[in-house]
Amino acid sequence: MNVMERMEVKDALRAKLADWIMQHGRVLEQRANSNEYVGIIWTQVAWRNCIYEILDVDGAVCRIDKVDADLTE
């Protein structure tokens, strides 16, 4: 497996994880912004007592960040 194939697998897994979190979690907030060059969708999701931020740029999930570790507090 070369470097490009590894990157493609990593991107596909990140996209599937983001889709899973959004389907099974509760979307708290979603913002979309775009111009003639790029489109960005920022989504905040509560899933399994944690808050996650998902950043989607031009249809590709770039980041999944855990923001708040515990919602029960």
Side-chain angles (χ1 to χ4, degrees):
M1 182 179 288
N2 64 23
V3 174
M4 289 305 295
E5 290 172 341
R6 287 184 190 194
M7 289 175 61
E8 289 173 2
V9 169
K10 185 177 176 182
D11 291 341
L13 289 173
R14 188 182 305 118
K16 288 179 183 180
L17 177 61
D19 187 44
W20 174 266
I21 291 172
M22 285 192 279
Q23 284 182 1
H24 293 88
R26 181 173 39 111
V27 176
L28 302 174
E29 188 176 356
Q30 189 169 31
R31 297 181 193 169
N33 200 355
S34 63
N35 59 22
E36 61 270 8
Y37 302 110
V38 67
I40 298 173
I41 300 173
W42 174 84
T43 308
Q44 195 173 43
V45 181
W47 180 62
R48 291 192 166 213
N49 292 329
C50 295
I51 296 176
Y52 294 89
E53 287 183 354
I54 300 170
L55 183 64
D56 184 312
V57 178
D58 286 339
V61 177
C62 294
R63 295 183 75 171
I64 301 173
D65 293 327
K66 184 188 270 188
V67 177
D68 192 11
D70 194 9
L71 288 176
T72 59
E73 296 177 353

